[in-house]
Every structure is written in structure tokens, then in C-alpha cells.
Amino acid sequence: MFSRNHRSRITVARGSALEMEFKRGRFRLSLFSDPPEDTELQRKLDHEIRMREGACKLLAACSQREQALEATKSLLVCNSRVLSYMGELQRRKEAQVLGKTVRRPSDSGPPAERSPCRGRVCISDLRIPLMWKDTEYFKNKGDLHRWAVFLLLQLGEDIQDTEMVLVDRTLADISFQNNVLFAEAGPDFELRLELYGACVEEEGALAGAPKRLATKLSSSLGRSSGRRVRASLESAGGSGSSPILLPTPTARGPRYHLLAHTTLTLAAVQDGFRTHDLTLASHEENPAWLPLYGSVCCRLVAQPVCMIQPTASGPLRVQQAGELKDWMRVHGVLKGTNLLCYRQPEDGDAGEEPLFTIVINKETRVRAGELDEAAGRPTTLTITNRCGEAKVTHTLQAESRGALQSWMEALWQLFFDMSQWRQCCDEIMKIESSAPRKPPQVLAKQGSLYHEMVLSESVAPGGPDEGPLLQDNTISAGIQALLSYSDR
């Protein structure tokens, strides 16, 4: 017989030796329970498993092509997240068993044991150029094919996706409008991009096949025989049953294939548009093959926490450069690569300008002052910056030796973060807010730029073109509805 601890999900045999040790107080149950990070990851895993079940039910109920493509995409993303979360849980369990504890950035210790601060990584303006043949793009020759593509992005155990985009030979590149933000990343991050695509069959191509076949048969056979064959084909098609000579295709969902992939690291971070190489994973014989140019263009930026959040603050007395006697009492705030000196602590929160700013960069030299009780400066440190050929030195005095140690620790940690995040600490890179997702673009039936330039007649509100748009729901809403229905 077993008793289960529902909070920590630990199964302990009732009356066993381990339970007796718990009762005697020799072991704490918290040593065997899951930490809060693992509990949150387990909650995410349970959520993705439920979403996967809902995606499977929604895929079986889809009646339109766009809905089936979105449901299959959601199913692929859920499977990837489930595998990622399970792998991360397994790694954490192994580290917990082996006794490997990860030090936090706030822990003090030698520089070799320091951990860099975390940060945010954002990728935006994603464009993948296409390489069509001249006869396909300009002369509109060859078979017209359409693809449904999207990007799967993974950083650590976090997996995100872009919107689905429909592509044909009228497009020169694939453009993804939304920004993808990863809130937890270290300077050693590896951002993997995977491009998936599915070939979309034209609905009109299969529908018009019986008539074309009937026309060919009526012209190749005799006049009387051709009329009989044509009449049988048209009667079979008009009665609602499957036409003869053409078996009914089996109903199954679309299948996405991996088309290309690449991995971006800290070296690719730049506050601007940049091109990166893609590794192609498909060939021309593949049904989902897409003529990719072999590169991806994007804007990849990163914001370390040390650049956007204060890492230390407190009262200070500052002796500015060139002044030997005058000390100024200020409230110092170490944020990014600047030590901001305000008159009052609330001035920084009110958005007022600081009295002066001391720059902290990779060339700055920080030294602790000597203990001099007689001079009345028991706790000081000096910050030296080079301005051209001259050196500018500021002397700082803290309230106590413990406060001085806290300021020195914050500065050492900042220097370590700057050495790890490198160019990301030169200036704060701007991360734009992500726009809401748009429904997949519906491509025109024609396959040339000429046809797109022809003005079509406007349809009144409530006309036939608004019907499918009003009937389409988002995939997440459909999944949630199916899940709530199944739980009743």
C-alpha cells in the first residue's frame, strides 16, 4: 500500500524504512521533492500534452485545407515542446542525483566560479529569399505549386514558432512579420531555426481532371464511343459519387518536411539587419522541395539583465576628479555601464536627470582604497577612466566596509558580465514589441505577377468571399473548445 504526496509527487511505501526515517526526522522530505523550477516545467509539459490531444481531435474534424494545415502545424510544435521538456526534466534529475548545483549570478566567490547574468534574445524581420527559375517566375511556365511554410525556433528548452505563410512562385522571398522573444538566455545560447514546409495541392486541379480526361477520351475515341464515355463521366460526377477511372483519394492530414535549418549564437547578435547561411535539408526530388537561395536575413538582438536593471544602489560620497577636499553626498545607482549619481533616492524613480554619471566600461579600472582611519576615509574605492591621453579618477566612499564590499562585488560581476556578453554591453539594443499574429495569407488562384496586377471586382460586405473568413477560427480556440467538450 502506498501513500502519495500530491504536492511533491513522491511515492513512499507506507511502513518502509524511508518513511520511518522521515518520521524520526533524519531526512527532510524537501530533499527529495521537486524544486519550483521543475514543478513549473512539469506544468508546461502537462499543458502541451493536453494541447497535443486537442490538436489531434481538431485535425480529425477539419474540413478545410487551411484548417488542416494549421492543426498539423500545432501538432508538430506540441510534439517538439513535449520532447524538449522531457529532455530538460531528465537532465535536471540527473544533475540533482549527481549533486551538481548551479550557482546564481548573485553568489559571491572567485571570478572563476561566477555565473554571467541572464538576458533576453529577440529575433525579428525574418526573410528567406527564394531562387525561382526564369521560366517560372517571369514567364509563368511549368506546374503551379504552393507551399505552406513556417519557422520553428528553439533556445534551450523553450520552443516557439512563427505564423504559417503560403508561398508560390509569385513571391521573391518568405517574410515572417512577428517578433520572437526568448526571455531566459545566457551568453552561451544557441538559437536553432528550422524551416518546415508542406506542399499544398490545388483543389481545382483534381476537380477539373475528370472533364479534361473526358475531353481527351471523346476526341481520341470514335464519335459515338466518345459521347458515351463523356456522358458516363459527367453523370458519375454530377450524381455525387466518385467518377470512374479516378479512385477517391484517401483522406489524411498534410505532412510538413524539414526544408532547412541553421544555428545562431552570440556572434550573430547585431543591432541591424544581417544575412546568415542556411543548411538545406531537402532535395529537388522531395515532394515538399522549395527552391531556397540558401540564406536567411534577420535582426538578432540581445539584452543582458545587467544592462536594463540596476545591479547595485545606495548612498555614496564622491570626490570628483581634480578636487582634493570637497566631497559630494549622492545616491548611486549602478545600471548598465553607468554609475548614476542622484541627489535623492527618489529622483531616479521620478525620471529626473542625475547630477553626474561615472562611465563603467571594459577599459575602466577599479581599485579599493587603503584603510586610513586618521584621514576619516576608512572605506573608499577609485574608478579611473581614460579620456584621450588623460586619466579621470573618481573616489567613492561608502558608509561601511560591508557596503564597500557590496559595491566592489557588483562592479566585479558587471565586468564579468561584459566579458561574457561582449558586444551586447556596448549599448542597449532595442527590442520591439511583437505585433499580433495575422491569419495565413490567401494566395490568388493565378500564378503570375501579371494576374495579381489585374483589378478584381469589389465584393459587398457579407458577400461570398466573407463566408470562409467568418467561419475560420483560430487553432488555439478550437483546441480549447475540444478539450473542454471532452472533459465534460
Side-chain angles (χ1 to χ4, degrees), residues 312-319 327-334 339-343 356 358 379-381 383 395-400 403-404 407:
S313 62
L316 289 172
R317 295 183 63 194
V318 181
Q319 187 182 58
W327 290 81
M328 181 180 295
R329 185 176 296 276
V330 299
H331 179 78
V333 177
L334 182 60
L339 177 57
L340 308 175
C341 298
Y342 296 96
R343 189 182 302 274
F356 58 91
I358 302 176
T379 53
T380 61
L381 61 89
I383 300 177
T395 304
L396 278 65
Q397 180 179 353
E399 290 185 334
S400 63
L404 175 69
W407 279 104

Side-chain angles (χ1 to χ4, degrees), residues 362-410:
K362 300 174 183 177
E363 304 298 330
T364 303
R365 296 293 178 264
V366 178
R367 294 182 180 179
E370 296 180 359
L371 183 63
D372 189 2
E373 297 286 352
R377 293 177 300 177
T379 53
T380 61
L381 61 89
T382 60
I383 300 177
T384 304
N385 288 292
R386 182 175 294 276
C387 183
E389 298 296 332
K391 293 183 178 180
V392 180
T393 302
H394 291 79
T395 304
L396 278 65
Q397 180 179 353
E399 290 185 334
S400 63
R401 192 167 184 84
L404 175 69
Q405 184 63 30
S406 299
W407 279 104
M408 293 293 293
E409 175 64 25

